[in-house]
Amino acid sequence: MLRPWPHLLLLAIILVLAACGPSDSPERAVINYIEAMVDADSVRAVNLACTAWEKQARTEAASFETVDARLEGLVCMEGDQVGEFTIVTCQGVIRAMYDGELQDLDLDRRTYQVLLEDGEWRMCGYK
Amino acid sequence: MSLVHITVFGLVAVLMSASSNSRWRGWGLLTGSVLAVYWLQPATTVRHFDFWLPTIALALTIFVWVATHRKTSFSVRVEISTSLVIAALVLAISFTRYLTIGWHLTQTRPPNALSILVALIGLGLISFLLLWIRQKSQLGLWLLASIILGLFIITKSDPLATWASSLARVWTGQLPELASSTDMSWLGFSYIALRLLHTLRDQTAGRLPALSLREYVTFVIFFPALTAGPIDRAERFVRDLRVARRITAIQAVEGVTRIILGLFKKFVLADSLAMIALNATNALQVKSSLWLWVLLYAYTAQIYLDFSGYTDVAVGIGRLAGFELPENFDRPYLKPNIVAFWNSWHITMAKWFRAYHFNPLTRFLLRRKPKLLPWMVIFLAQISTMVLIGLWHGITWNFLAWGIWHGMGLFIHNRWAAFLKAHSHVLPPSLRSSRAVKAASVLLTFHFVTIGWVWFALPEISLSMNVLGRLFGM
């Protein structure tokens, strides 16, 4: 005869975990997104973006396809809540080689909007 | 499969064969295969598809077993335990959702555990329904075969895959207008579908051996053969699975040697040749006929090394796990005719289509009234088989053309062989067995196959025709 207790315990654990909030943070979501973008990984970037930002995420990742780029000193911090968005600010730089010329893209020029969608923090645009 | 995947699978295989306890080995292989099917699935832009596609593959496998299994020495309790173990593994994979990205087994964060639990309960209910239907009729078998075929067709057809992606996007709350056929990249499903269909067919023919759920799931999603075959048969596979034996040092060396050979063929030779192999871009850039032939020869070599390399890795890992997986290649480019080529290229797939399409169709056509002439039967059977093989690679005009090319080649060879048999004076046996004639036969067959790759390598019929013309200076 099957013992029910292990299965009930498993079910209880599942339900408790299902009630848990997101495990990642808004700043982590932006870090992951920027890394995906620099890796020109549009699939990963889309999966880290909110629905409204998906098209832009593809474009941004695609723009790095023919560029030799790397991230340096990326650090992000959660900021205020503005409406439904959480604002994240970052420091660091993308070093990219464009037409044989090394260019730095400072990441602190922008503030990032992050949205909690489907139980996950997702990159959702710039403020 | 990447080098990391291959390394891990090799180590797991050694671990499995280190145990002479067949029960532990069986559970280990099942667990490894279930985890592998999630680990290998690439992400798509449809959220959580890298979780749901393997889950659907597992579900279909369980459904087919429910609909086809025969009574075994295993008790119902054991079968229920197996299904609970699979469910627990799936839930465990889903729990990695709560870890930081990079620690998930799947490429992206899995969906929330509650939705997975609901899906698992639903799958359980469907299984009970299938069990009930099975007692009344064979409707369940036909239904499952239709679903598997339908899913297969959707994944192989760009327009249907895009449509399915747009539906999935509506479900996930994403924009359907961004749907793409690449969203339906379902790793290994081409091979899983053939294994499932062969089971369903063998069940109706009374040929299926008695398999436990654990044995069956392991057979369908066996991790070394998941991405690129070989397509094994259930009765052969389960013989190896049931024998608990530690591999010998010689077998281990053979396995490792085979893996290294496969890695060299795939990651060194094939990937190097890929830089100059014929593709849609360089086909338009190259102007000279001579260089087009170079690109085509490079493609001919690359596709063989790539595919046979993967087979070597699969066979090698299988050997480390104590399995003698069937071979898929036997020096195909050195064969004297197209029949011999198809007996030595992707052998397990060719055997599958021969067993489940060519032979039954031939028998049907020979029995039908009014009788067809023998050459008509051969023509229909060969052309249709090769067309199906072509479309198995993808539902496009180019793969159709490639199938017809090889079908015609087989038919012409059949007529030539029949002609020679009736008119042996044209090419006496002594001349036929001469080195010169054999060499000429091999060269002719090689070039027939090579020219056929033009259809396979390029995405458009018009481009293929253009390249074919330029190859011959037109």
Side-chain angles (χ1 to χ4, degrees):
Chain A
M1 172 132 176
L2 285 176
R3 288 191 187 152
W5 303 118
H7 307 94
L8 286 173
L9 182 60
L10 183 62
L11 182 60
I13 291 170
I14 291 162
L15 290 171
V16 165
L17 282 174
C20 287
S23 64
D24 252 349
S25 58
E27 61 268 28
R28 191 71 234 168
V30 173
I31 289 171
N32 291 334
Y33 177 81
I34 294 172
E35 285 174 348
M37 198 176 61
V38 170
D39 288 343
D41 189 340
S42 56
V43 172
R44 196 157 42 114
V46 163
N47 276 283
L48 293 165
C50 68
T51 304
W53 193 247
E54 182 179 334
K55 199 169 180 181
Q56 190 60 25
R58 287 175 192 241
T59 308
E60 290 196 335
S63 68
F64 280 87
E65 271 172 17
T66 52
V67 175
D68 183 15
R70 66 179 190 275
L71 271 169
E72 281 186 13
L74 176 61
V75 170
C76 295
M77 280 190 315
E78 185 180 338
D80 297 328
Q81 189 83 16
V82 175
E84 57 181 346
F85 297 111
T86 300
I87 301 302
V88 171
T89 53
C90 294
Q91 285 183 337
V93 69
I94 298 174
R95 292 234 140 93
M97 192 71 82
Y98 285 105
D99 289 332
E101 221 181 280
L102 193 64
Q103 289 188 22
D104 285 353
L105 304 166
D106 289 319
L107 294 168
D108 58 4
R109 285 187 194 171
R110 285 171 160 167
T111 50
Y112 305 84
Q113 292 180 153
V114 181
L115 184 69
L116 187 61
E117 190 179 77
D118 277 345
E120 288 180 44
W121 291 109
R122 295 178 185 276
M123 169 67 182
C124 209
Y126 306 109
K127 194 164 179 286
Chain B
M1 269 199 288
S2 69
L3 284 171
V4 171
H5 293 127
I6 291 166
T7 308
V8 169
F9 290 161
L11 290 170
V12 167
V14 168
L15 211 65
M16 292 301 114
S17 61
S19 167
S20 56
N21 183 315
S22 65
R23 195 160 149 256
W24 285 113
R25 181 166 167 261
W27 284 114
L29 287 169
L30 172 72
T31 302
S33 298
V34 170
L35 295 178
V37 87
Y38 285 92
W39 192 31
L40 289 168
Q41 172 64 41
T44 77
T45 60
V46 178
R47 283 181 195 163
H48 309 311
F49 244 27
D50 55 334
F51 179 87
W52 288 118
L53 290 179
T55 305
I56 294 170
L58 271 176
L60 284 172
T61 305
I62 293 171
F63 293 158
V64 169
W65 179 84
V66 166
T68 61
H69 76 283
R70 284 169 43 205
K71 207 165 155 52
T72 67
S73 57
F74 295 98
S75 66
V76 173
R77 197 177 81 164
V78 169
E79 308 296 17
I80 292 175
S81 293
T82 302
S83 51
L84 287 175
V85 164
I86 294 172
L89 285 169
V90 172
L91 281 168
I93 291 166
S94 76
F95 290 162
T96 61
R97 168 184 178 80
Y98 303 103
L99 303 173
T100 313
I101 276 186
W103 289 93
H104 312 136
L105 190 68
T106 50
Q107 299 303 307
T108 64
R109 198 185 300 278
N112 69 68
L114 196 58
S115 63
I116 295 165
L117 185 63
V118 168
L120 288 174
I121 291 170
L123 297 179
L125 290 172
I126 295 173
S127 299
F128 281 116
L129 182 63
L130 277 170
L131 261 176
W132 179 77
I133 292 173
R134 185 197 157 129
Q135 287 160 11
K136 314 280 179 194
S137 73
Q138 290 204 326
L139 174 66
L141 300 179
W142 291 107
L143 198 61
L144 281 170
S146 307
I147 291 169
I148 293 164
L149 263 174
L151 286 172
F152 180 81
I153 289 168
I154 286 171
T155 58
K156 292 295 180 179
S157 158
D158 279 355
L160 288 176
T162 306
W163 167 78
S165 167
S166 64
L167 281 184
R169 285 170 157 275
V170 168
W171 179 262
T172 60
Q174 293 172 268
L175 300 171
E177 52 266 32
L178 296 177
S180 157
S181 62
T182 55
D183 291 338
M184 295 301 295
S185 301
W186 196 340
L187 189 96
F189 190 67
S190 302
Y191 295 93
I192 289 173
L194 291 188
R195 292 183 192 117
L196 294 177
L197 288 172
H198 121 63
T199 318
L200 288 166
R201 180 68 190 101
D202 281 0
Q203 165 63 1
T204 57
R207 285 194 296 255
L208 196 66
L211 298 167
S212 68
L213 177 60
R214 192 182 74 205
E215 288 171 336
Y216 186 67
V217 173
T218 308
F219 158 68
V220 173
I221 60 167
F222 188 48
F223 62 88
L226 186 61
T227 55
I231 304 164
D232 207 347
R233 294 190 65 82
E235 52 270 32
R236 197 225 62 79
F237 180 87
V238 91
R239 274 199 301 270
D240 284 351
L241 183 61
R242 286 175 181 169
V243 171
R245 56 167 175 243
R246 283 207 177 96
I247 60 164
T248 64
I250 292 174
Q251 285 169 325
V253 166
E254 281 175 359
V256 170
T257 306
R258 198 69 191 266
I259 293 170
I260 292 171
L261 175 68
L263 292 175
F264 181 70
K265 281 160 88 175
K266 157 66 191 157
F267 291 102
V268 176
L269 298 179
D271 285 358
S272 302
L273 284 166
M275 290 193 281
I276 61 163
L278 182 70
N279 59 47
T281 308
N282 61 27
L284 291 168
Q285 290 166 342
V286 166
K287 300 300 174 198
S288 111
S289 169
L290 177 65
W291 277 110
L292 258 185
W293 277 106
V294 171
L295 299 188
L296 184 55
Y297 285 137
Y299 183 86
T300 301
Q302 184 232 339
I303 193 171
Y304 167 70
L305 290 165
D306 193 292
F307 201 175
S308 67
Y310 266 128
T311 298
D312 289 331
V313 169
V315 169
I317 295 174
R319 201 153 289 167
L320 289 179
F323 288 81
E324 290 293 327
L325 294 179
E327 295 291 343
N328 241 352
F329 295 91
D330 178 21
R331 296 177 299 172
Y333 291 148
L334 297 179
K335 299 303 175 187
N337 58 66
I338 194 69
V339 170
F341 172 80
W342 276 107
N343 284 334
S344 56
W345 177 277
H346 206 168
I347 298 169
T348 57
M349 183 205 62
K351 276 185 176 172
W352 193 98
F353 278 95
R354 196 175 299 129
Y356 295 102
H357 176 75
F358 181 85
N359 291 342
L361 178 65
T362 307
R363 281 194 295 270
F364 167 76
L365 291 174
L366 285 172
R367 281 200 288 255
R368 78 184 284 277
K369 301 238 183 309
K371 264 189 169 329
L372 287 175
L373 294 171
W375 70 262
M376 284 180 184
V377 171
I378 291 164
F379 177 79
L380 288 170
Q382 285 178 333
I383 292 282
S384 63
T385 302
M386 294 316 300
V387 162
L388 283 178
I389 288 177
L391 295 177
W392 178 81
H393 291 86
I395 301 178
T396 68
W397 291 113
N398 271 64
F399 285 127
L400 174 68
W402 177 78
I404 292 173
W405 175 264
H406 276 275
M408 288 305 300
L410 285 167
F411 179 66
I412 290 167
H413 173 264
N414 176 272
R415 296 293 88 204
W416 170 245
F419 173 79
L420 281 182
K421 201 173 171 185
H423 305 88
S424 57
H425 61 275
V426 170
L427 199 65
S430 56
L431 189 60
R432 245 181 274 175
S433 59
S434 73
R435 274 190 178 178
V437 168
K438 275 188 180 168
S441 303
V442 169
L443 264 177
L444 184 64
T445 306
F446 172 78
H447 281 89
F448 178 83
V449 171
T450 296
I451 292 166
W453 288 131
V454 173
W455 304 107
F456 201 90
L458 300 174
E460 304 280 339
I461 289 280
S462 54
L463 181 58
S464 301
M465 297 291 291
N466 176 282
V467 166
L468 284 168
R470 284 192 286 134
L471 280 170
F472 294 97
M474 290 188 264

